[in-house]
């Protein structure tokens, strides 16, 4: 691109971004004209968030140029200049919980003389903004009392009060109810009519067709498509996101026998949080069922309910026909549930402890009496586990943080298996793991199935889902589609993203 | 817009009451109760001399509470404030005393320079704490705990544990002078409360401190210079601690090696009872002030009462616990 046309709210030219040795953006070009409503879509890891962090000045590119409103982007530390040009409503809360709504609306932007804040003007301006937005809350309310919807409106209104005419919305609807989404969209449309430019990031493709005019598709750190939405039908959009990969679930592993099988895990009429109601799912002994969905779809919370971490409002969970006591991890484990939480770094590993100690945390009571742990018994159990799981470690004494991600993850699965469960719940078990370890983990899952365990695999990773005997897709708390073994990636992605 | 202006009037009227939330005023009836009890315990309790005495004895504590409140609202901790209370005047005293036989340095700088040294000491300590916590991202609790031990040890080491007397008059002035019949330290503490209360309420930097303590990431995104302000808060806090040390030295006309020892517990107690959240972003100077006053009056009442001297601390601790429970039950949000 040689000449830079005026009239663009934001442009990136040949932008490269590396984090350490890993290049996440390989020369991205994007140009968003003033008044556009642009969607950026892509699977996890496509580089959407990185691009947003460059467009909002949180990070600066290693190569290439960012321009805002036709001007080169401000210096990275100059937050004020950035804020005037671009505002971002993040998924995380960006209000200050114990300050009032009025002050949050005018955060670091209070009308002031010689540094002294005029609270009268703060309130007046806040009330005018609240009236404009028809938001029925007192400006004196502390922000932590706001609902998710109100909080988002406060953040958007704040962006506009800072003078920005270009707003980035990062998955704004992830936590909203449908009618709240509609109200948000009405407001976005009104702002679009008033000339505000939007960049909209969402996994919910149906929303993009509702609210956006153009779309940029990213895949593996590149822009792979850039088109008006009315020229890009849904099939083509999903195809661009998925890429020219192979189709269908590849791993036609062991055939399921025709013999009648027992039901291993049965979830009945489960109600959880505000959005999951009457949820049913069953997994037979020796079967692996995938539960696929976006972050926030409810898939992780269902796994937590089976593990005893989340307390359901209603419903039953039965393990091989026996209703299990809900809401207690110890009771669920005693009932026969083994659980591997997603994100081992946050919810799994004890990084300072040895491989062995990490493996036996769930079964300490079996290793000795009166709470005392027999080190001989522990060593025997640990060595046994390391051998059967194929964990590559110098010994059970090695610190687990020294292991590769794949071997750490094997240890996490090993911990779940240590209590000899009959139902195994795995949440994103191969996340951040190399290909060889992935295969090894799949082997461990296959072995568990062969021993008659019921396996529930919660994931949004197509590769993981491909080892499942069947896959249920959950969208906003409801199962919207089920797949037998031979699904196509394209259909699976469309279902996960909410395009049925 | 017309609907807005209609709404404005009634909301304005209630805005003072809503600003002065229950939480900030909850201690006032408690203070009243303590004063009534005090008047029964001892006829001398309500005498002006006694009440002024309580205020003067609370003045150093209250300056430390201002300092700690600033730091707590910003979402940090500073345990080393109490050792700065000792070190800053000790270092100055050592430099001022020319007689080495009574523990002086032999340098003999004058009293005004001594005040400068004391304040400078506070500034340097605060800067080091701030840099360690903000730039090196050390945990504030453990960093300032280590600093507390280090500074306390330095205070002892400078004079081999001796108490330093014979300090020049200008150095003692602020702790001894009376302005309009009221000790200067009370005026100073009162004016500082007023200034910092107004600053936190009306100055943009004060509001930025609340924002940082409430959600540092959101503050950063909003363009607030989080690191600079946090370091500044540590510096101002330590400066105030040095000033408190100066007042204390003036009042007792000497610097003891253990000066300020154990004050930090009462500083935290007063701040938290007064509604300053340990989690940051919450609380007001007016509340902190009521916390200090309550503790000062309680201590006085206990001293005047017939409680055996060795049991006063236990009573004091029990009452602080009680106050925490009461304020938690009347306040709107839990401490964590």
């Amino acid at each position: 691109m040689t000449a830079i046309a005026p009239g663009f709210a934001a442009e990136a030219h040949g932008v490269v971004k590396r984090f350490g040795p890993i290049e996440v953006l390989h020369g991205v070009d994007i140009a968003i004209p003033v008044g556009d409503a642009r969607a950026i879509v892509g699977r996890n890891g496509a580089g959407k968030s990185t691009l947003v962090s460059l467009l909002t000045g949180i990070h600066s590119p290693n190569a290439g140029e960012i321009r805002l409103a036709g001007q080169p982007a401000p210096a990275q530390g100059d937050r004020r200049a950035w804020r005037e040009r671009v505002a971002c409503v993040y998924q995380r809360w960006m209000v200050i919980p114990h300050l009032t709504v009025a002050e949050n609306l005018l955060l670091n932007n209070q009308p002031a003389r010689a540094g002294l804040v005029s609270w009268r003007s703060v309130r007046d301006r806040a009330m005018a903004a609240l009236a404009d937005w028809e938001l029925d809350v007192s400006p004196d309310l502390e922000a932590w009392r706001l609902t998710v919807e109100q909080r988002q409106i406060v953040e958007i209104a704040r962006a506009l009060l800072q003078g920005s005419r270009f707003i980035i919305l990062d998955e704004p609807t992830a936590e909203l109810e449908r009618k709240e989404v509609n109200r948000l969209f009405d407001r976005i449309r009104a702002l679009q009519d008033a000339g505000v430019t939007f960049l909209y990031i969402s996994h919910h493709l149906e929303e993009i067709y509702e609210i956006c005019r153009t779309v940029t598709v990213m895949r593996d750190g590149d822009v792979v498509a850039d088109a008006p939405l009315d020229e890009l039908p849904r099939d083509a959009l999903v195809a661009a996101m998925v890429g020219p990969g192979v189709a269908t679930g590849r791993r036609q592993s062991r055939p399921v026998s025709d013999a009648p099988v027992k039901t291993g895990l049965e979830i009945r009429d489960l109600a959880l949080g505000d959005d999951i109601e009457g949820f049913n799912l069953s997994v037979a002994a020796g079967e692996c069922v995938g539960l696929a969905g976006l972050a926030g779809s409810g898939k992780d919370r269902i796994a937590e309910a089976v593990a005893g971490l989340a307390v359901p409002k209603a419903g039953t969970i039965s393990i091989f026909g026996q209703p299990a006591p809900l809401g207690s991890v110890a009771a669920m484990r005693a009932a026969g549930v083994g659980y591997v939480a997603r994100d081992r770094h946050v919810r799994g590993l004890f990084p300072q402890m040895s491989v062995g100690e990490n493996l036996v945390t769930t079964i300490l009571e079996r290793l000795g009496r009166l709470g005392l742990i027999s080190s001989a018994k522990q060593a025997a159990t640990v060595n046994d586990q390391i051998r059967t799981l194929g964990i590559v470690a110098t010994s059970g004494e090695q610190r687990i943080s020294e292991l590769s991600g794949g071997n750490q993850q094997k240890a996490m699965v090993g911990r779940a298996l240590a209590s000899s469960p009959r139902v195994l719940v795995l949440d994103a078990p191969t996340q951040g793991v190399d290909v060889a370890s992935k295969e090894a983990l799949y082997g461990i899952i296959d072995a568990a199935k062969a021993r008659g365990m019921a396996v529930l695999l919660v994931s949004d990773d197509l590769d993981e889902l491909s080892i499942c005997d069947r896959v249920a897709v959950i969208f906003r708390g409801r199962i919207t589609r089920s797949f037998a073994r031979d699904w196509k990636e394209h259909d699976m992605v469309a279902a996960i993203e909410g395009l049925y | 817009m017309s609907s807005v202006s209609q709404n404005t009037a009634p909301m304005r009227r209630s805005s003072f009451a809503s600003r002065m939330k229950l939480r900030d005023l909850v201690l006032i009836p408690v203070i009243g109760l303590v004063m009534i009890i005090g008047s029964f315990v001892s006829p001398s309790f309500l005498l002006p001399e006694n009440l002024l005495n309580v205020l003067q004895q609370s003045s150093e504590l209250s300056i430390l509470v201002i300092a700690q409140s600033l730091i707590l609202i910003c979402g940090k901790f500073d345990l080393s404030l109490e050792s700065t209370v000792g070190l800053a005047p000790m270092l100055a005293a050592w430099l001022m005393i020319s007689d080495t036989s009574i523990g002086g340095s032999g340098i003999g700088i004058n009293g005004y320079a001594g005040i400068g040294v004391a304040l400078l000491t506070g500034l340097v300590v605060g800067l080091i704490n701030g840099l360690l916590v903000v730039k090196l991202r050390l945990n504030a609790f453990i960093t300032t705990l280590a600093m507390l031990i280090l500074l306390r040890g330095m205070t002892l080491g400078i004079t081999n544990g001796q108490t330093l007397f014979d300090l020049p008059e200008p150095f003692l002035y602020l702790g001894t002078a009376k302005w309009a019949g009221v000790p200067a330290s009370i005026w100073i503490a009162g004016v500082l409360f007023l200034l910092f209360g107004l600053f936190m309420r009306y100055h943009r930097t004060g509001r930025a401190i609340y924002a940082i303590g409430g959600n540092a990431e959101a503050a950063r995104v909003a363009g607030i210079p989080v690191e600079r302000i946090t370091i500044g808060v540590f510096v101002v806090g330590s400066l105030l601690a040095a000033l408190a040390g100066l007042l204390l030295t003036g009042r007792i006309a000497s610097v003891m090696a253990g000066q300020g020892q154990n004050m930090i517990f009462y500083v935290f107690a007063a701040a938290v009872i007064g509604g300053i959240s340990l989690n940051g972003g919450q609380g007001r100077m007016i509340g902190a002030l009521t916390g200090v006053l309550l503790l000062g009056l309680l201590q006085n009442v206990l001293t005047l009462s017939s409680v055996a001297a060795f049991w006063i601390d236990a009573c004091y601790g029990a009452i602080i616990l009680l106050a925490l429970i009461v304020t938690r039950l009347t306040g709107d949000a839990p401490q964590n």
Side-chain angles (χ1 to χ4, degrees):
Chain A
M1 208 174 275
T2 47
I4 292 152
F8 287 110
E11 300 152 86
H13 299 296
V15 161
V16 174
K17 180 65 192 171
R18 283 183 291 270
F19 291 112
I22 302 159
E23 190 170 288
V24 248
L25 294 179
H26 325 289
V28 166
D29 290 300
I30 187 171
I32 303 162
V34 170
D36 197 3
R38 171 73 56 97
I40 296 189
V41 298
R43 309 267 306 140
N44 288 339
K48 304 182 301 270
S49 324
T50 309
L51 183 59
V52 169
S53 74
L54 298 180
L55 288 174
T56 51
I58 303 293
H59 294 123
S60 49
N62 296 99
E65 189 195 21
I66 304 282
R67 295 175 73 86
L68 294 170
Q71 307 285 320
Q76 210 209 336
D78 190 357
R79 292 304 312 163
R80 177 164 291 273
W82 278 99
R83 280 202 315 157
E84 284 163 5
R85 290 164 179 78
V86 52
C88 185
V89 177
Y90 298 87
Q91 286 170 271
R92 288 153 297 162
W93 279 63
M94 283 295 177
V95 296
I96 313 286
H98 289 287
L99 297 184
T100 63
V101 168
E103 194 167 3
N104 268 291
L105 281 168
L106 292 149
L107 187 65
N108 202 29
N109 189 28
Q110 303 99 330
R113 197 175 297 153
L116 295 180
V117 176
S118 159
W119 286 107
R120 179 174 293 235
S121 324
V122 168
R123 279 176 56 83
D124 285 350
R125 288 180 58 177
M127 290 185 72
L130 292 173
D132 278 351
W133 285 88
E134 293 165 7
L135 191 59
D136 188 22
V137 299
S138 158
D140 298 323
L141 193 73
E142 288 193 1
W144 61 275
R145 295 180 186 274
L146 294 174
T147 65
V148 176
E149 183 189 16
Q150 291 168 338
R151 184 260 301 180
Q152 254 172 6
I153 293 168
V154 165
E155 291 191 32
I156 298 174
R158 170 164 75 195
L160 292 168
L161 285 170
Q162 282 157 10
S164 170
R165 306 287 288 162
F166 172 44
I167 296 183
I168 300 175
L169 299 173
D170 190 357
E171 297 229 31
T173 61
E175 294 173 71
L176 296 184
E177 309 268 328
R178 184 63 226 181
K179 61 178 188 297
E180 296 172 333
V181 172
N182 287 339
R183 285 200 292 263
L184 176 69
F185 285 0
D186 287 343
R187 291 181 158 123
I188 292 177
R189 282 189 202 99
L191 287 172
Q192 283 174 8
D193 293 342
V196 174
T197 312
F198 279 92
L199 182 60
Y200 191 93
I201 293 145
S202 178
H203 275 296
H204 297 134
L205 299 185
E206 91 282 8
E207 293 176 1
I208 282 164
Y209 281 94
E210 211 174 314
I211 198 77
C212 295
R213 283 199 271 271
T214 57
V215 63
T216 296
V217 184
M218 295 187 72
R219 194 175 66 227
D220 301 330
D222 284 308
V223 169
V224 292
D226 215 347
L229 272 165
D230 48 17
E231 291 173 16
L232 198 65
R234 295 171 187 225
D235 285 353
L237 181 59
V238 174
M241 287 170 67
V242 175
V246 268
T248 75
R250 295 144 273 173
R251 350 181 97 250
Q252 314 287 351
S253 63
R254 67 193 69 242
V256 190
S257 80
D258 293 334
V261 283
K262 281 188 284 184
T263 303
L265 168 68
E266 178 146 46
I267 305 172
R268 278 248 151 271
D269 294 324
L270 192 77
L272 195 60
D274 296 329
D275 51 348
I276 299 174
E277 253 173 56
F279 183 90
N280 295 307
L281 186 70
S282 64
V283 183
E287 188 187 28
C288 176
V289 173
L291 182 61
L294 298 170
S297 61
K299 69 180 196 316
D300 301 309
R301 277 176 294 146
I302 285 166
E304 286 169 7
V306 178
L309 275 172
V311 187
K313 290 197 284 202
T316 56
I317 296 174
S318 306
I319 309 297
F320 283 85
Q322 294 290 317
L326 302 179
S328 153
V329 176
M332 274 299 186
R333 188 184 302 139
V337 176
Y339 172 58
V340 176
R342 73 172 187 286
D343 196 350
R344 63 179 173 274
H345 296 292
V346 178
R347 310 169 53 130
L349 289 178
F350 300 108
Q352 283 88 350
M353 302 199 337
S354 70
V355 178
E357 286 167 308
N358 268 284
L359 277 168
V360 299
T361 25
T362 55
I363 53 159
L364 291 178
E365 72 281 0
R366 298 188 194 176
L367 298 177
R369 280 185 217 184
L370 301 171
L372 300 174
I373 295 163
S374 148
S375 47
K377 258 189 195 169
Q378 172 168 334
T381 315
V382 166
N383 289 334
D384 198 39
Q385 289 250 43
I386 288 179
R387 206 172 38 250
T388 46
L389 297 169
I391 297 174
V392 182
T394 54
S395 77
E397 306 297 313
Q398 193 180 8
R399 260 170 76 134
I400 197 157
S401 55
E402 295 170 4
L403 265 52
S404 74
N407 284 303
Q408 289 176 349
Q409 195 61 32
K410 284 183 211 164
M412 293 298 97
V413 178
R415 180 195 292 167
L417 290 171
S419 59
S420 317
R422 295 186 293 167
V423 171
L424 189 59
V425 180
L426 306 161
D427 197 341
T430 68
Q431 195 180 49
V433 151
D434 63 279
V435 179
S437 301
K438 232 177 191 182
E439 293 302 322
L441 284 161
Y442 293 155
I444 294 169
I445 295 169
D446 272 344
K449 277 168 60 181
R451 274 162 36 211
M453 285 186 213
V455 181
L456 178 64
L457 198 158
V458 176
S459 180
D460 59 357
D461 180 277
L462 297 182
D463 201 56
E464 286 179 357
L465 293 172
S466 72
I467 70 162
C468 298
D469 299 310
R470 59 193 173 87
V471 176
V473 177
I474 180 171
F475 187 77
R476 292 192 187 282
R478 290 202 330 274
I479 290 188
T480 51
R481 237 185 121 167
S482 290
F483 291 94
R485 274 188 159 272
D486 296 309
W487 42 269
K488 295 200 166 53
E489 290 200 350
H490 174 282
D491 295 333
M492 181 64 79
V493 170
I496 291 176
E497 309 267 344
L499 297 168
Y500 332 121
Chain B
M1 276 309 291
S2 63
S3 64
V4 175
S5 44
Q6 277 166 15
N7 287 337
T8 315
M11 283 186 146
R12 274 260 163 74
R13 212 174 303 144
S14 66
S15 72
F16 182 76
S18 65
R19 245 181 247 164
M20 281 292 135
K21 284 173 307 183
L22 176 66
R23 185 64 190 81
D24 297 312
L25 302 176
V26 65
L27 290 185
I28 288 180
V30 183
I31 290 174
L33 185 70
V34 169
M35 293 192 72
I36 292 169
I37 294 170
S39 65
F40 283 107
V41 164
S42 163
S44 58
F45 176 75
L46 284 179
L47 293 178
E49 304 89 87
N50 184 55
L51 292 179
L52 280 180
N53 188 28
V54 171
L55 287 179
Q56 188 178 12
Q57 287 184 355
S58 305
S59 61
E60 297 94 15
L61 181 69
S62 58
I63 292 173
L64 288 183
V65 169
I66 295 173
Q68 194 69 267
S69 299
L70 273 177
I71 298 169
L72 283 173
I73 290 171
C74 195
K76 300 290 182 206
F77 272 100
D78 190 352
L79 300 175
S80 68
L81 290 178
E82 69 153 54
S83 57
T84 306
V85 169
L87 179 69
M90 184 62 92
L91 198 61
W94 179 69
L95 288 170
M96 286 185 294
I97 295 173
S98 46
D99 183 351
T100 53
S101 69
I102 57 167
S105 61
I107 297 173
I109 60 172
N110 71 31
Y112 297 104
I115 293 175
V117 167
L119 296 179
L120 190 68
T121 307
L123 191 142
V124 170
V125 169
L127 193 62
I128 293 172
N129 279 334
L131 290 174
L132 289 177
V133 170
V134 172
K135 294 289 184 191
L136 267 191
R137 295 174 191 224
L138 295 181
N139 176 285
F141 183 88
I142 202 69
T143 305
T144 59
L145 179 62
M147 190 58 88
L148 164 68
I149 299 166
L150 170 68
L151 300 185
R152 176 68 62 214
M154 284 172 67
T155 313
L156 271 171
I158 289 173
T159 61
N160 298 326
Q162 272 182 287
T163 300
L164 298 188
F165 299 95
D166 251 347
L167 304 170
E169 199 276 332
F171 193 74
L172 301 178
Y173 174 77
L174 287 177
T176 47
K178 286 197 171 188
W179 297 337
V182 174
S185 57
I186 297 179
W187 287 108
I188 292 172
V191 167
L192 284 174
F193 258 111
L194 189 67
L195 281 180
F196 276 96
L198 293 173
F199 171 78
M200 292 303 282
R201 176 69 195 155
Y202 288 103
H203 198 279
R204 285 181 61 161
T205 307
R207 304 315 296 169
I209 293 172
Y210 278 99
I212 293 169
N215 184 345
E217 200 184 356
R220 192 169 285 120
V221 169
I224 292 168
V226 173
E227 302 202 337
R228 191 146 33 103
I229 289 181
T230 308
I231 293 174
V233 160
F234 272 104
V235 169
V236 171
S238 284
L239 264 177
L240 288 170
L243 177 65
L246 214 56
L247 295 184
L248 189 56
T249 304
R251 180 153 65 83
I252 58 182
S254 63
V255 199
M256 289 181 298
Q259 179 159 303
Q261 202 146 17
N262 295 342
M263 276 180 96
I264 200 71
F265 301 113
Y266 300 107
V267 169
F268 270 99
V272 172
I273 290 171
I276 307 286
S277 166
L278 292 178
N279 301 313
Q282 227 184 334
R284 304 186 188 201
M285 288 296 167
I286 176 84
L289 175 63
T290 59
V292 179
L293 290 178
L294 179 63
L295 289 196
L297 288 169
L298 270 176
Q299 190 155 42
N300 185 249
V301 170
L302 286 172
T303 314
L304 293 176
S305 71
S306 47
V307 175
F310 289 115
W311 281 99
I312 285 183
D313 275 353
C315 291
Y316 201 38
I319 291 168
I320 292 173
L321 267 183
L322 195 69
L324 285 172
I325 294 166
V326 169
T327 49
R328 167 68 189 89
L329 294 179
T330 51
D332 49 3
Q335 276 288 330
N336 45 28

